[in-house]
Amino acid sequence: MSATCRLTVAQAIVRFLSCQYSERDGLEQRLIAGVFGIFGHGNVAGLGQALLESELREPGVMTYYQGRNEQGMVHAAAAYARMKDRLSTLACTSSVGPGSTNMITGAALATINRLPVLLLPGDIFATRVSAPVLQELESPAGYDISVNDSFRPVSRFFDRVWRPEQLPQALLGAMRVLTDPVETGAATIALPQDVQAEAHEWQRALFVKRVWHVPRAVPELAALERAVGIIRSARRPFIVAGGGVIYSHATDALRAFVDATGIPVGQSQAGKGSLPHDHPLCMGAIGSTGTAAANRIARQADVVIGIGTRYTDFTTASRTAFAAPAVRFVNINVAGFDAAKHAGASLIADAREALTALRTALAGWSVPAEYRAEAICLAKDWDRTVTRAYNLRNSSKPAQSEVIGVVNEVSEPRDVVICAAGSMPGDLHKLWRTRDPKGYHVEYGYSCMGYEIAGGVGAKMACPDRDVYVMVGDGSYLMMAQELVTAVQEQIKIIVVLVQNHGFASIGELSESVGCQRFGTWYRYRDPSSRRLTGSVLPVDLAANAASLGVRVFRAATIDEFRAHLQQAKRSSGPVLVQIETDPLVPAPGSESWWDVPVAGVAELATTKKARAAYEADKARQRALLGPEPDSSDPRGAT
Ligand SMILES: Cc1ncc(C[n+]2csc(CCOP(=O)(O)OP(=O)(O)O)c2C)c(N)n1
Ligand SMILES: [Mg+2]
C-alpha cells in the first residue's frame, strides 16, 4: 500500500474525524460522534459529497444529521458535549455567509460554557477567481477577510484552510483544543468552498486512530499546603461548587470531602447536581438566584472554596454574596485564570484530584459542630420553602413553581431538565430537586433564548437512556423551535414543557425592579388609542405550532391536568409537547440576594427614581474582592 492516498479536503476531514477518540481514566470514546449540517453552495460539493460517500461506504461511522437553523445545530452539539462531560461532541458544517454566521451565537455559547464543539463553516473561494461570490461580504480593506473572521473572538481555536497542505495542522490543533479542559470551547476551521472540493495526496498517517488523552492535573504541593493552611484557619468555610466538579466526575470526591469536614456547599447553575439536593450539607443554589440557606451561609463565610467555578455575577450576587470583610478565597480550577479570581489562593488542578488530596491533608479536621448544625438547619428550612412553592395552589392559573414541582415529581431521578433563559432558570436553580449529577442542565453561561429545544435534542442524543424534559418559555420557543423538526425526523424523544405566560415575564420583573414598568415585555396588540403595546393578548397558539411540525401535543389548563398529561407524555415514544398557561405575576421564593443591573441616573418617572435610590443602596454593598480587608483600627491598613 502506498504511503499516500488521494482524497478531497472534505473527504480527508471526514476520514480524519472518524478516527479521533478521547480518553480519560482509561475510557475511550469517539471524540466526534457525528456531523450536523445544512448544505448550500459553500459545502454541498465539499463536505456534503464527503459525508455522502462516508455514509454509503461505512454506514453509521460518521452519521449526518440534518439541522434546521445553524445556530440550533451548534446548541445541540454543545448540549451533547455537556452531557458527555466534554469527552465527546459533534461537528457542524454550514454553507458560506449566513449559514456560517448563524453559528456564531452557538460558538459563543459553547466557548462561554467551555463546551467543545467543532465548527466547519464554508468560506469564500480561496482562488478568488469568481469573486465576489453569492453571500460574500467584500472588504475593501483586504481580500482575505470574510464574515467567518467573526468566529475569531468567539472560538478557542480558529483557522482557515486556504490550501490543502494546511489541513493536517488545523485538524490536529482543533482536536487538541477540544480535548483540553482548560482551553476547550468552539474550535472553528473555515473551509473555502473550492478548497473543500480540491483533490490532494495525503499521508496515510493522517488517518490512523488517534486517542486524545484528557488530563487530570494534580495540585502542586506548595499550593496544596497553602490551601490547607487557609482552610484549617476557617471557622465558617463554604464551598462554591461549579460545573468543573461535574465535568471532572468529582461528585463522589466532593461528598467524601464534605462528609469528612462538614463544610456546606452552594452550587452555581453549572454546578447544580454536584451534591444531591437531600444531602444535609447541600445548601442548593448560590447567588442572585440562590436559596436563602446558601446566601445566609455565604454572607458570613470566612473562607470560600471555589471548585470549578468561574464566579459569574449570578454566582457572586454581583460581588455582594460574600460580605465578611476578612473573607478569603481558595480556588480549585484547571484554569489559572479562574483560580486566581478574588485574590484567591489558587490551586490549579483537576477538581477530583484536588479534593482527594485536600481530604487526605485535612484528615481529622472539621468545622465547629454548631456551624455544621446551623447549616443543616438552614438547608432543611429551604426544603420546606420548596415544598410550599411546589404546592401553592395558585387560584387562577398555576404558578411556575407548581409546574416545576410537577415536572420534578413526574420525572425519574436520572432524567434531565433543560432550560436556558427567561424566568425558569432562576426558579429551577432555587427549586429543582436535583438527584443525579447530570440531571440538571441549565445553560446559564450565555443564557441563550433558543437553546432549550435544540439543546434538548443534543442531550437526548447523548443520553438516550434518560428522559429529557425541556422547559421552555413562550419567548424562547418563538426564538427557536425549529429543531423540533429534527426531533421528529430522528424520533428523538424530548418532552417539551411549554410555559405560556404571553411575554417575557423574567424581563418584565426585571423591568419593574429597575423602574421601567414592564415596558415592552408583554405580547400584546398595539392599542389603537394610546398607540402603545398595551392592547389585548396576542392570539398566539404555540401548541398548534408544535403540532404542525409533527410533535404530539397536550394542552393543560390546570395543574392536575398538567400532571396527567406529563405522565402520558412520559409513556410516548417520539417528541411530545405539553403546554401550560401560568400566572407570570406569582414570584418564586426570595433569594435574599441581588443582581447588578444599572438603573437610570436621572429620570422623570417616579418608578425609576425610586428604583435608583434602592439601586444606590445595594451598590454600596458591592465589593472589589481584592483580598481580606485590612482592619481599620490598624494604622497600616488605614493609610
Ligand atoms: C437570544 C436572547 N435574547 C434576549 C435575551 C434577554 N432575555 C432574557 S429572558 C428573556 C425573555 C424570555 O421569555 P420567555 O421565554 O417567554 O420566558 P419568561 O421570561 O416568560 O419566563 C429575554 C428577552 C436572551 N437571554 N437571549
Ligand atoms: Mg414567557
Side-chain angles (χ1 to χ4, degrees), residues 99-117:
S100 299
T101 51
N102 269 354
M103 295 205 292
I104 284 173
T105 298
L109 180 146
T111 297
I112 284 179
N113 286 287
R114 306 197 181 160
L115 292 169
V117 295

Side-chain angles (χ1 to χ4, degrees), residues 421-423 447 449 473-476 479 501 503-507:
S423 55
S447 184
M449 289 171 76
D474 53 321
S476 274
M479 190 78 76
N501 56 22
F504 302 152
S506 52
I507 306 301

Side-chain angles (χ1 to χ4, degrees), residues 71 105 400 420-425 446-450 452 472-479 499-508 521 523 584:
Q71 183 187 142
T105 298
Q400 189 160 281
S423 55
M424 270 185 291
Y446 213 35
S447 184
C448 184
M449 289 171 76
E452 297 86 349
V472 63
D474 53 321
S476 274
Y477 182 97
L478 283 168
M479 190 78 76
V499 175
Q500 174 59 275
N501 56 22
H502 302 283
F504 302 152
S506 52
I507 306 301
T521 63
Y523 282 6

Side-chain angles (χ1 to χ4, degrees), residues 248-316:
S248 140
H249 290 182
T251 52
D252 289 344
L254 177 66
R255 184 199 283 256
F257 181 71
V258 168
D259 289 342
T261 60
I263 306 178
V265 176
Q267 302 174 324
S268 73
Q269 285 276 12
K272 196 167 153 84
S274 52
L275 270 189
H277 78 95
D278 54 358
H279 187 284
L281 287 165
C282 181
M283 304 288 106
I286 174 71
S288 308
T289 52
T291 68
N295 283 330
R296 284 185 199 173
I297 290 289
R299 220 160 9 249
Q300 295 182 54
D302 53 1
V303 170
V304 175
I305 307 166
I307 313 174
T309 176
R310 61 192 185 94
Y311 289 116
T312 69
D313 61 348
F314 267 82
T315 301
T316 68

